[in-house]
């Protein structure tokens, strides 16, 4: 048994084929579904988005003070000096990867980088607080991150203002995927909607790094527009990646396919903050863009390093939302989306989609 959820009538775990068949025929079981795998989707971004204007503004003067971001990822380097005094709690729900359920220690590096982009010493919201939740390593499962959200739902006295989700499935969906997600994990959608609509928590997720290429039933690459889950959910802000104004052309790979995994066979020659990366999944449900190429931040074992991906663009937005929430804690998620889009630069359309 991996998870027994508290807010919904659901269990997650591993079964043999015979066990699955037994559950499917049981009158006490409503439905049985595959636990979909999830994967990390993953220059100083504060300089790139001119966050210093908000830091020093007489109207705002924001640094994220008093705002808490739950970072659901591979965990965090708890001893890293970038996070001194900023970690208010920890949780681990990554099935088979938790030596201690209240330790989110990171042995991957991805989550540490993401958390640093949000609230490290050179992060966007450098005075914000962090609640790291380890929900995956090299990979995880949908039930792992839903279990973390379940914990948040069951602990309303624990302050969480923003949730960053820098991971995704390999499926790409154009438009809201709520109905499809509900068929696979109906209780999970219920928790997400309650946290956003009733608690006012802003959820932000990476759109994915496949450049809208997936494999069909024959294993052949085909183009499919849209974004990964959870970014495709209607109550989640989806974020794609741009370059930064100081991107060095020599740093851009001849093809992103060289990075392995599902990275697409593409590259870019236009390399400014007004240029979307070719690896960004784009569709009608992509909400906003932010810098996501070679974003420097903390790394495990006290080091520093750079990551590229929509995983890095999402925490840039999460940090910016923390700046907004410091001055107006009651900003609703819908208002936040409107503020982000109304004050963002409009980009030229790509593949028929205007961002």
């Amino acid at each position: 048994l991996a998870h027994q959820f508290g807010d919904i009538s659901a269990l997650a775990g591993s079964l043999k084929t015979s066990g699955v068949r037994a559950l499917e025929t049981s009158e006490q079981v409503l439905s049985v579904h595959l636990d979909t795998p999830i994967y990390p989707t993953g220059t100083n971004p504060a300089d790139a988005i001119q966050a210093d204007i908000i830091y020093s503004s007489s109207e705002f003067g924001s640094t994220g003070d008093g705002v808490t971001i739950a970072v659901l990822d591979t965990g965090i380097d708890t001893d890293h000096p970038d996070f001194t005094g900023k970690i208010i709690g920890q949780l681990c729900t990554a099935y088979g990867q938790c030596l201690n359920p209240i330790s989110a220690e990171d042995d991957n590096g991805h989550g540490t980088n993401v958390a640093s982009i949000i609230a490290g010493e050179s992060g966007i919201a450098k005075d914000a607080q962090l609640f790291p939740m380890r929900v995956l390593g090299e990979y995880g499962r949908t039930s792992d991150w839903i279990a973390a959200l379940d914990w948040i739902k069951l602990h309303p006295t624990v302050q969480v203002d923003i949730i960053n989700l820098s991971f995704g499935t390999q499926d790409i969906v154009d438009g809201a995927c709520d109905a499809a997600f509900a068929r696979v994990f109906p209780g999970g959608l219920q928790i997400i909607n309650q946290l956003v609509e009733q608690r006012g928590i802003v959820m932000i997720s990476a759109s994915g790094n496949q450049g809208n290429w997936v494999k069909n039933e024959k294993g052949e690459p085909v183009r499919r527009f849209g974004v990964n889950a959870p970014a495709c959910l209607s109550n989640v802000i989806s974020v794609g990646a741009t370059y930064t104004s100081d991107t060095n052309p020599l740093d851009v790979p001849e093809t992103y396919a060289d990075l392995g995994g599902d990275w697409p066979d593409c590259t870019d020659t236009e390399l400014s903050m007004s240029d979307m990366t070719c690896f960004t999944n784009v569709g009608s449900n992509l909400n906003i863009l932010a810098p996501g190429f070679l974003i420097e931040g903390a790394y495990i074992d006290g080091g520093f390093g750079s990551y590229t991906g929509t995983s890095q663009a999402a925490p840039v937005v999460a940090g910016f939302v923390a700046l907004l929430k410091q001055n107006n804690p009651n900003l609703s998620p819908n208002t936040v989306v409107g503020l982000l889009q109304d004050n963002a630069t409009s980009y030229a359309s790509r593949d028929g989609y205007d961002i």
Side-chain angles (χ1 to χ4, degrees), residues 109-125:
H110 186 273
T112 296
N113 176 266
V114 167
S116 179
I117 292 169
I118 297 172
E121 287 304 298
S122 297
I124 306 297

Side-chain angles (χ1 to χ4, degrees), residues 42 108-111 113 292-299 305-309 312:
N108 177 284
H110 186 273
N113 176 266
F293 180 77
L294 287 183
I295 304 300
E296 185 177 354
Y299 190 65
S306 298
Y307 274 73
T308 288
Q312 281 57 54

Side-chain angles (χ1 to χ4, degrees), residues 6 41 46 53 71 78 107 122 127 135 138 140 154 175 196 201 228 245 254 278 292 301:
T41 50
I53 295 174
V71 182
T78 56
D107 59 10
S122 297
D127 289 329
V135 300
E138 291 296 330
L154 292 171
V196 174
I201 296 174
N228 297 152
S245 57
E254 292 184 7
C278 68
D301 298 325

